[in-house]
Amino acid sequence: MKSHYKYDDITDNITDAHTQLGLPCEDKAHLETVIILIEKNQHTSRQITHDELRSIKIEIKTIPTGKQRVLRRALNNTLYYLHQHCGWQIPQPQIKKLIDTQLIWMQLISQQANDASRLYAGYLEEKRHFLKYRPEFNIGFITVALSIEVAPLSLDYWADILNRPEAIELYEQQLTLIVHHQSRRVSNEPSSHYFTRYALTPFTCRLLLDYFETRKQKVTTKGLHKALNHYLSTVPYGLANKTAMQWQHCFQNIWFFEYGLPSVLLLDISQPHRHVAFHPCNSHVRNDDSISNIYDHNWHQPDYSTFSSNKSQGWPHRDLLKAVKNQPSSKWKAILNAQFTTPPAWDYDNIIPTILYHFTYDLIQFGGVKADILSPSTIHKYTNIYTLLTDHPLSYSAACDHDALMQWATTVYDKLESEGDHWLIYNFFRFLPQLSVTEHFDITQFSSPFLSLSVDPFRLSTDQCFITLNALLSQSNGSALQRLFCAVALILGFYGALRRGEVLRLRCQDIVCNPDDLERITLCIRNTDEGNTKSKDTRFIYLSIPEPAAKLVYTVSRIKRHCLPDDPLLGFVNETMASRQLHYLLPITKALKILWGNNVRFHHLRHSGAHWLMQQGLQFTLDWNISPFSFGAATQAMLTRESCQKRFDFWLEGLNFSDVNDGLLFDVIGKQLGHRHYTTTRWSYLHGIEWLTPLFSTKDYTTEYDELRYLLKISPQCKSVFRFLKSLYSERKEEISILNEQDVIRYLLKKKRLKELQSVSPKQDSFTLSDDNNAFKTLWLSQCPDTTIQHHHSPSKTLFNYQTLSLVESLISDNEPEPTFLTLSQLWEVSGKHNAITLTKTQRLALSKLGPMIIDNQNLTLSLTLKCNKVNGLHFEQVFHLPLFRCFRFHFDLQQNRKTDISNNLQLINTHFKTSKDTLTTRTVDKGKTKFTITLTFIPQSPCLFQMLCDFLHYG
């Protein structure tokens, strides 16, 4: 965790990082010396300053022997690893030395240029021979085919893959290869279970399937190296024997020169541990009931009149443990489904017991990371941490605030003393991002900075983003502005690839919408009074958003046009950041988890935006008109050449792409994301690599007849190839010669054997944007209810909804709105904020018994004249002490006959009517009865809102 690791783990990783490139590295003893020197500065963040680096070099200089040179090289080795594999920020002069390391690697690749050219030409000849005559399988030929058509991986990886038939998977209608990371990791780190995905060509997929059917013995790295040496020494290659690393450099040379892969991307595809893939949710059952509850407050708001902070609270997870303790594991799921269908509600002041309940439930239902079923004793061990958490409550609002949540976790962690307790709490912390309320928890703060960053890989397609957007807008139980703010937060989080805090801290002055081209939106991400950017720097993000979605962003800008520049873009004036997190981000997280899986969280919108921005940049650079992959309609529309160019117009400024330095593409993308180095973008956001190699290797791919015959498993001499393709093409035979790779894959997936491949994404989500550019806006407005509506959970209550269709339309109209958003915010702030404004039947009855109210629309007042007695006092308390009436100023006027004692009435007024904020006037008269008048003056200066409230009070 923060400091518990072994030096061997780090030195092994540093050595591996260099060995995998064929680069020299100093021995472990010298590397350990350097690590100890770096450790002296007590690094809690992944950064080393210029002064720290200078002091280390000075200390090395004090050594009076040639060991100085060795330690300087060891320092460079260590800094290369920390920068490339652990995400450290290092001084700029040192980065130049790391570039030299990359150049040495490229020199090693260039040294193989002559043999690589012969190898590539020989492979093309050998492949034609194989397709025509179908000789027996040669493991050397298979390795060469995989290295040239899939990726130039090391022989260690190919040996592992050739022993795993299950490595082939169908992913989003793409043939892929699962490659498990082989880097040495700390065994209890989540990174030890990482894998990545590579794209298979149709030929290599069929080759592997056929090989697995005839495989006779296990393949070892040593045996594979020997077989490769022997195979490539024969005709048509005639190459001398090489080391395993030299062969990898040879294949890397082919990808660099034949496919035109830049060196930075060549490094990516050569090393699987540089990127992490993910398992998508196999089935996202869209439960309408669950979706309809995303705007509900799923926590118990405390009743502070009876609430005690020292009140004892139970631990509901213990009921789960008790229920399965003496039962066989085969019955556990049935017990959960029968007895624990409804989880405990979230207690506003301490949600830890409920979190631990969900943690225990998942351990019982799904097991651990390595075992499907855990023993009761193991589950008890993992969950017994409640004894450590008893003195550390966590409120619901604090859990929704990233800084408060991390401070709570740090406090808990630092209070522990034993390494075993640290591990148990760390394991519990890893579960927190799975829950909506704590999905923003950053586990990397509890990992050693000397080990690789952990990453939570996932991304959504544009289609999935729009399906989520549709769900957010179409729920009638969220208020109009809450649904709009949630929708815009989703859009900006996805298209802008923004962090949670960046979305929340956006102010009115930080967004520029172009009314002449609504698709173009500019954001300024900067430090504000509510917090700083992660890099402490200001950056501008230039977005191109489809107009139906962009109109929602423009609508918010219109609504906020009277606000101050520093007012938050999302939320009401004076609304706290914690409240904005709770009401505009939490519903998005709930929707994402319901639709796409429990592991999905708001931050994955940033992952998604970064991925599609990279896709747009690469496709535009490589001159693809449309994406070569099978995506849904909305994602395909995002990846057309026109859309890609529009996304990068801010950089091109009217120039053709050929007129700019395309080598700056990664820097431009990184700057949009707020990253100083591509390393951060690649590891944390660009998941898998199956989307990269086809962009370079399949642009001009066409399938010849001999290859078609092999792919279709028909005789090499068969003349009737075309009858197998009738379902694919009905045009002239000559047109089949332009069959591309995606056409072939779509057809092959209908055939036996390939049809049986394990599919990890069985359904392709697709969302077709309407031709009506107001489609999302219309959907939003269609769910704006009337002023008074029935409470959807309690029919006996009526809800006051001031965000009606007519009011919202007034806010976004070209006319001067009445009320303005400032006035609306004032009403929101004084009348209970986001709490539902309701009147029960009992409260309406009490209101009616107080007598008629006189409404003065000109002065925005309500007045009541009633007897000053205890019965009316109780009725008054029942209604007018509700948060709703905080939007009024109360004035009490008591006219008392001089012959009557006034003290009793004053006591009644102070007990049942008046609060400390109200005013009271007393008058004594010689004649007449006692008269008690209450005047309520509406605080917001808005006749419209006043009339709406009056209509609500008189409803029914």
Side-chain angles (χ1 to χ4, degrees), residues 448-562:
S448 165
F450 291 94
L451 298 175
S452 297
L453 278 166
S454 61
V455 60
D456 181 14
F458 194 86
R459 65 171 172 266
L460 289 91
S461 66
T462 312
D463 299 85
Q464 291 171 324
C465 175
F466 283 149
I467 290 169
T468 310
L469 179 61
N470 195 76
L472 290 170
L473 293 171
S474 60
Q475 308 310 314
S476 59
N477 61 324
S479 66
L481 291 177
Q482 184 185 16
R483 288 185 294 111
L484 177 63
F485 293 149
C486 285
V488 171
L490 175 77
I491 293 167
L492 296 180
F494 180 84
Y495 280 94
L498 301 183
R499 301 178 178 93
R500 286 173 58 93
E502 292 171 347
V503 172
L504 289 167
R505 290 193 300 270
L506 279 173
R507 298 168 299 171
C508 292
Q509 66 180 340
D510 294 333
I511 182 168
V512 177
C513 297
N514 185 347
D516 298 325
D517 187 355
L518 293 181
E519 293 189 358
R520 296 181 185 274
I521 295 172
T522 303
L523 301 177
C524 179
I525 309 300
R526 67 179 98 191
N527 301 329
T528 70
D529 293 339
E530 293 182 313
N532 298 328
T533 64
K534 193 169 183 178
S535 64
K536 307 296 188 295
D537 297 328
T538 297
R539 76 180 191 274
F540 290 90
I541 303 176
Y542 304 90
L543 306 180
S544 176
I545 302 174
E547 190 165 334
K551 279 205 168 183
L552 295 175
V553 183
Y554 181 71
T555 298
V556 170
S557 182
R558 287 285 301 163
I559 288 173
K560 295 292 189 81
R561 62 188 182 275
H562 293 99

Side-chain angles (χ1 to χ4, degrees), residues 424-442:
L424 289 172
I425 285 292
Y426 175 76
N427 191 56
F428 174 66
F429 285 170
R430 285 167 56 189
F431 177 74
L432 296 182
Q434 304 301 310
L435 300 173
S436 301
V437 65
T438 51
E439 55 99 22
H440 48 279
F441 185 84
D442 184 7

Side-chain angles (χ1 to χ4, degrees), residues 35-308:
I35 294 167
I36 292 172
L37 290 175
I38 295 175
E39 260 193 332
K40 284 184 178 180
N41 294 292
Q42 296 294 317
H43 287 278
T44 56
S45 62
R46 297 171 185 261
Q47 182 178 9
I48 187 168
T49 66
H50 178 78
D51 289 340
E52 290 170 344
L53 192 57
R54 182 169 170 271
S55 67
I56 291 171
K57 290 180 177 179
I58 289 174
E59 191 160 350
I60 291 175
K61 280 185 178 180
T62 62
I63 298 173
T65 68
K67 189 178 178 182
Q68 275 193 33
R69 292 190 298 275
V70 177
L71 288 178
R72 280 199 296 269
R73 290 196 296 268
L75 177 62
N76 289 337
N77 293 153
T78 303
L79 291 176
Y80 174 82
Y81 162 76
L82 293 177
H83 178 67
Q84 286 288 314
H85 293 257
C86 301
W88 279 49
Q89 295 180 22
I90 61 177
Q92 192 62 36
Q94 190 65 34
I95 290 179
K96 294 179 180 179
K97 293 186 178 181
L98 301 191
I99 294 174
D100 291 342
T101 302
Q102 299 283 87
L103 290 174
I104 294 171
W105 172 65
M106 287 304 299
Q107 286 176 350
L108 294 173
I109 291 174
S110 299
Q111 289 172 8
Q112 303 296 329
N114 182 60
D115 286 353
S117 178
R118 290 170 59 188
L119 195 160
Y120 185 65
Y123 168 70
L124 296 180
E125 181 181 340
E126 188 72 354
K127 182 179 178 180
R128 286 192 293 269
H129 180 271
F130 176 86
L131 293 171
K132 191 170 183 178
Y133 298 105
R134 311 278 179 88
E136 290 186 7
F137 287 110
N138 185 306
I139 199 170
F141 173 70
I142 295 173
T143 305
V144 171
L146 292 171
S147 299
I148 291 179
E149 296 198 16
V150 178
L153 304 184
S154 69
L155 295 186
D156 290 329
Y157 280 110
W158 288 133
D160 175 60
I161 289 164
L162 291 172
N163 290 314
R164 291 192 296 109
E166 71 280 4
I168 303 175
E169 279 188 351
L170 180 61
Y171 173 73
E172 293 184 344
Q173 297 302 299
Q174 192 177 1
L175 301 170
T176 65
L177 197 63
I178 295 296
V179 180
H180 295 294
H181 291 191
Q182 293 183 354
S183 296
R184 300 181 191 181
R185 310 281 186 181
V186 179
S187 60
N188 59 14
E189 285 287 316
S191 55
S192 60
H193 310 290
Y194 288 156
F195 71 96
T196 194
R197 227 180 235 108
Y198 282 83
L200 283 173
T201 61
F203 173 70
T204 53
C205 181
R206 173 61 73 188
L207 194 65
L208 276 176
L209 289 173
D210 291 346
Y211 166 75
F212 287 134
E213 286 181 353
T214 60
R215 184 169 60 106
K216 297 178 181 178
Q217 59 185 12
K218 184 177 180 179
V219 177
T220 64
T221 303
K222 185 177 180 180
L224 185 61
H225 181 208
K226 183 178 179 180
L228 188 63
N229 270 332
H230 179 265
Y231 172 71
L232 291 176
S233 66
T234 61
V235 177
Y237 306 101
L239 298 174
N241 290 353
K242 297 180 184 292
T243 65
M245 184 53 63
Q246 287 173 330
W247 282 127
Q248 188 182 12
H249 288 157
C250 206
F251 291 121
Q252 288 168 339
N253 188 281
I254 293 172
W255 281 84
F256 183 73
F257 287 102
E258 297 295 339
Y259 300 138
L261 221 70
S263 60
V264 64
L265 295 182
L266 179 60
L267 189 61
D268 282 350
I269 70 167
S270 301
Q271 297 187 319
H273 61 266
R274 290 174 69 86
H275 31 83
V276 183
F278 59 91
H279 291 297
C281 182
N282 281 338
S283 60
H284 37 268
V285 179
R286 291 161 192 172
N287 187 318
D288 292 337
D289 291 336
S290 298
I291 284 290
S292 66
N293 295 330
I294 58 176
Y295 292 109
D296 288 353
H297 292 188
N298 61 342
W299 59 88
H300 283 317
Q301 191 76 27
D303 179 4
Y304 288 105
S305 62
T306 60
F307 180 75
S308 170

Side-chain angles (χ1 to χ4, degrees), residues 301-364:
Q301 191 76 27
D303 179 4
Y304 288 105
S305 62
T306 60
F307 180 75
S308 170
S309 59
N310 297 320
K311 185 178 178 181
S312 174
Q313 184 174 19
W315 293 91
H317 78 281
R318 298 174 71 182
D319 296 331
L320 286 168
L321 295 174
K322 191 181 298 182
V324 302
K325 183 177 180 181
N326 297 316
Q327 298 293 330
S329 59
S330 58
K331 293 185 178 181
W332 287 0
K333 289 186 179 180
I335 292 172
L336 294 179
N337 294 332
Q339 301 178 30
F340 300 95
T341 54
T342 304
W346 299 92
D347 187 277
Y348 188 82
D349 285 273
N350 187 15
I351 66 170
I352 295 301
T354 307
I355 293 179
L356 200 54
Y357 173 92
H358 286 283
F359 180 53
T360 307
Y361 189 99
D362 276 16
L363 288 175
I364 294 171

